[in-house]
Amino acid sequence: MNRNRYSPLSAPGDTPGNVPENSGAQSGAQSDAPMPVRLVDIARMAGVSVGTVDRVIHNRGKVSAANLARINAVLQRVDYRPNLIARTLASGRQYVVAVVMPRFAAGEYWADFEAGVARAETEARRYNVTVRRFSFDQYDLSSFEEVLGALRDEPFDGAVLATLFAERVVPFTAELDARGIPYVFVDSDLPACNRLAYFGTSSFDAGAVAARLLCERLDPDADLVVGKIIHRGEGGSNQCRERERGFRDYLRRHDFRGELYDVSLRLDDAAYNARCLDALFDRHPTVAGAVTFNSTCHILAGYLAARPAHRVRLVGYDVIDRNRRMLADGVVTALVAQRPEVQGYRGVMSLCGWLVEGRRPEAVNNLPLDILLKENIPYYTNNII
Amino acid sequence: MNRNRYSPLSAPGDTPGNVPENSGAQSGAQSDAPMPVRLVDIARMAGVSVGTVDRVIHNRGKVSAANLARINAVLQRVDYRPNLIARTLASGRQYVVAVVMPRFAAGEYWADFEAGVARAETEARRYNVTVRRFSFDQYDLSSFEEVLGALRDEPFDGAVLATLFAERVVPFTAELDARGIPYVFVDSDLPACNRLAYFGTSSFDAGAVAARLLCERLDPDADLVVGKIIHRGEGGSNQCRERERGFRDYLRRHDFRGELYDVSLRLDDAAYNARCLDALFDRHPTVAGAVTFNSTCHILAGYLAARPAHRVRLVGYDVIDRNRRMLADGVVTALVAQRPEVQGYRGVMSLCGWLVEGRRPEAVNNLPLDILLKENIPYYTNNII
DNA sequence: CTGAAAGCGCTTACAG
DNA sequence: CTGAAAGCGCTTACAG
């Protein structure tokens, strides 16, 4: 048996409109919280059936003006909060959330994002929400276009979109708008779109944080290296560009007087990178700091680890395994991180809350910019609750 | 109508032990996930009623050896994961979680902890879990003892305990052990106790982080000030002591050669504090850094803001409003933070998961040590998902 | 337009 | 020891 609503004295067939809003706790029990009002309570108060109440609550129409008025009157007085647990159980409705994100190998940046998605997937399943992943090659625009093409014929109720290829995302969201499908952005924001929400960081300010970590108490005449990884195709993401803007802006505001030397490195060619960097350091022995604006600072770190004489401060982004190691070893001075797991988790969960509960998330969610040093990196886990 | 389990061909009265484990998707529908197995499925496979299955699943006994064996055999084969939504809905069982924590005023450290508790409270209510708060004066041992006394006569199913008064917490947990009530610690750990879990930070390493932030690239011969706030009664929490140990240990390992000057300050007496500090700085113009080990570094900051000539780096703990402001203004160099909202949230939720789902949390949860600078403090919100 | 009824997957007395 | 039945609060055809 479950808790009793009414004392033996109050018959179930109470006069409509004459029932206490909150019957309070069962006599004898020491319950503090008031009993929540249920659909049947409202139906009884309005003198109609639960079916009719349900119809007005969900705006399904087919309710007489008279009943609608009575029910709304009751709804006004009481604080009805539907029991989502019961709703989920009763409703067969299944929702599908599409997650559009880059492919990745273990230990890469997007693997952390995926961990958050997976965590959300587990939780969302309880509410009849399923996650479907659509992944593309982040260095190949056409692979992204293929995914969008596939999505066109796919049924889904909401989408999480990684905005790396901004120029293609924008027109696609117009299609989603037309289909009435809500979507949230992760990685970087496109405020012009009609997104339900954004989860990510301010790339510009993330650049300033890196600049502070690199240049604080550095000789203002020292020179810096900006490491860039060249991929087939294009020249760096929108996010990297913004970080660099923020970085340079910080230097300007802090009267930095040194030079910045760009150096193009390759992802998998340590010998090539070493030649480039040796040449650079030979020419400019004044270099005292280095930075990268994507997650590959471990490449520069690998080089510097083999040349301890250089004594160069190095700052980069993202706590991927290889960067973590270089930080713990003291080769990397600091990392700036953007909670990718949280982006994945909240991206999915916000859509989940919107679809099943109609709960609208905050539109712009700029996540914290985490600073990791050798001293606090051991505890940098568990970003997802 | 809900989803169909069986095709029209398979009658509901299937031969026991002869039913496909996973009937798969309904024909025609493009469902990917296999249908989860339910209690009735197991009952059918074992040739018993759901009541009997329920009894073995909950170890309620009163099951014949034969049936027990058959049911266990089925359970072995299938991956039965009870539908918690249905369980919560069906079960009238209510749980009470007691939260024992310091009283606080708005803007103080424990207000952030409370925010996490409140957030958890909202979520936990869905699972029939209620939160009751018991608060004490963190500077008054007897108020803590009163709370423990009250708890003795109070019925509750689990407790979150802030361990500030460690000497009293330990014997109290022995009582809880005797009553069979699970408890989790927050703030600082007492590993000798039988706690279900701990959520907090490593105070010792938090001291090292502060030392790094204060002393990096500081003249190794510079002197430092250690600010201590004297409260009525005792002399600093266990946590503060550990942080100071970690701080001094770091200095030792990094060949710091300066002096550390302790200075006792008062919470609400700026004039007194100014006299003390003026005298100190007059005597030791070599002081180039200052630290506090609790959340009151805004006191030192207030003094330093009025004496810009001192040019002293200042590091403290916790992002409470007054510290946040001093950091944004550039008076405080850095703050180290310990995610109090997450401690409150996860403290309650871990107990919730244990009580309603029997899910055991990780025992030791050392949360990240966050580093806040002027550049990243604007985004330091939203630590709770 | 409306209400009665069945069902979601589980729990809980209760009769045997 | 066991099964049939009612119930949790909601949704969903369906008959009127």
Side-chain angles (χ1 to χ4, degrees), chain A residues 203-273:
Chain A
S203 305
F204 185 87
D205 288 349
V209 172
R212 156 101 189 243
L213 292 168
L214 186 58
C215 298
E216 185 169 32
R217 307 199 148 221
L218 203 66
D219 176 354
D221 293 307
D223 296 330
L224 304 180
V225 168
V226 178
K228 308 209 165 166
I229 304 302
I230 299 306
H231 295 292
R232 36 185 164 126
E234 40 76 74
S237 70
N238 179 46
Q239 188 174 58
C240 286
R241 279 192 299 274
E242 278 300 295
R243 286 175 179 166
E244 184 162 352
R245 275 212 317 122
F247 184 88
R248 289 176 182 269
D249 179 71
Y250 181 95
L251 296 187
R252 195 173 317 116
R253 284 186 289 109
H254 287 76
D255 306 316
F256 176 79
R257 294 186 304 264
E259 289 291 324
L260 268 66
Y261 300 112
D262 280 18
V263 57
S264 297
L265 303 175
R266 293 179 186 166
L267 201 49
D268 294 313
D269 193 343
Y272 171 88
N273 295 339

Side-chain angles (χ1 to χ4, degrees), chain A residues 38-39 54 58 80 83 87 90:
Chain A
R38 306 157 303 170
L39 223 41
D54 194 71
H58 291 93
Y80 175 62
N83 182 327
R87 175 180 292 177

Side-chain angles (χ1 to χ4, degrees), chain B residues 19-299:
Chain B
V19 179
E21 267 105 278
N22 271 316
S23 14
Q26 185 183 355
S27 70
Q30 80 294 39
S31 147
D32 346 24
M35 283 222 178
V37 14
R38 304 157 305 170
L39 223 42
V40 281
D41 298 323
I42 294 174
R44 195 140 30 187
M45 293 185 214
V48 298
S49 76
V50 293
T52 307
V53 177
D54 194 71
R55 257 167 251 131
V56 354
I57 281 173
H58 290 94
N59 293 313
R60 277 199 261 277
K62 313 191 180 201
V63 176
S64 68
N67 275 161
L68 197 141
R70 310 177 66 176
I71 293 172
N72 276 330
V74 174
L75 252 19
Q76 209 97 79
R77 291 194 296 122
V78 304
D79 176 34
Y80 175 63
R81 298 198 259 169
N83 182 328
L84 295 173
I85 286 200
R87 174 180 295 176
T88 303
L89 185 59
S91 159
R93 183 79 169 93
Q94 291 278 142
Y95 298 96
V96 175
V97 169
V99 176
V100 182
M101 58 179 282
R103 271 194 284 281
F104 58 87
E108 289 181 355
Y109 175 76
W110 287 96
D112 290 338
F113 179 87
E114 160 59 25
V117 171
R119 166 76 186 258
E121 183 176 30
T122 305
E123 275 184 46
R125 195 164 34 207
R126 296 185 183 180
Y127 298 101
N128 292 350
V129 176
T130 323
V131 172
R132 291 196 54 188
R133 293 162 180 77
F134 297 84
S135 44
F136 58 91
D137 179 344
Q138 62 178 306
Y139 305 119
D140 179 5
L141 176 59
S142 71
S143 78
F144 185 65
E145 288 172 332
E146 270 171 45
V147 162
L148 296 189
L151 246 21
R152 234 158 246 136
D153 306 319
E154 216 53 67
F156 56 94
D157 306 281
V160 177
L161 303 173
T163 51
L164 283 70
F165 292 113
E167 336 69 67
R168 306 297 155 142
V169 170
V170 174
F172 182 68
T173 59
E175 294 179 36
L176 292 180
D177 287 337
R179 287 165 74 183
I181 296 177
Y183 47 91
V184 315
F185 291 151
V186 293
D187 205 48
S188 72
D189 198 14
L190 302 170
C193 295
N194 186 30
R195 76 270 189 276
L196 179 68
Y198 161 66
F199 296 94
T201 50
S202 163
S203 305
F204 185 87
D205 287 349
V209 172
R212 156 99 189 244
L213 292 168
L214 186 58
C215 299
E216 185 170 34
R217 306 200 150 221
L218 202 67
D219 175 355
D221 291 307
D223 295 331
L224 304 180
V225 168
V226 178
K228 307 210 164 163
I229 304 301
I230 300 306
H231 295 291
R232 36 185 165 126
E234 39 74 76
S237 69
N238 179 46
Q239 187 174 59
C240 286
R241 280 192 298 274
E242 278 300 296
R243 285 174 179 167
E244 184 162 353
R245 276 214 314 124
F247 184 87
R248 289 177 183 268
D249 179 71
Y250 181 94
L251 295 188
R252 195 174 316 117
R253 284 187 289 108
H254 288 75
D255 305 316
F256 176 79
R257 294 186 303 266
E259 289 292 324
L260 267 65
Y261 301 112
D262 279 17
V263 58
S264 297
L265 303 176
R266 293 179 185 166
L267 200 50
D268 293 313
D269 193 344
Y272 171 88
N273 295 339
R275 280 198 304 278
C276 285
L277 289 163
D278 278 340
L280 181 72
F281 280 101
D282 279 352
R283 259 200 317 279
H284 308 290
T286 47
V287 165
V291 64
T292 58
F293 293 112
N294 58 20
S295 61
T296 60
C297 84
H298 55 83
I299 293 180

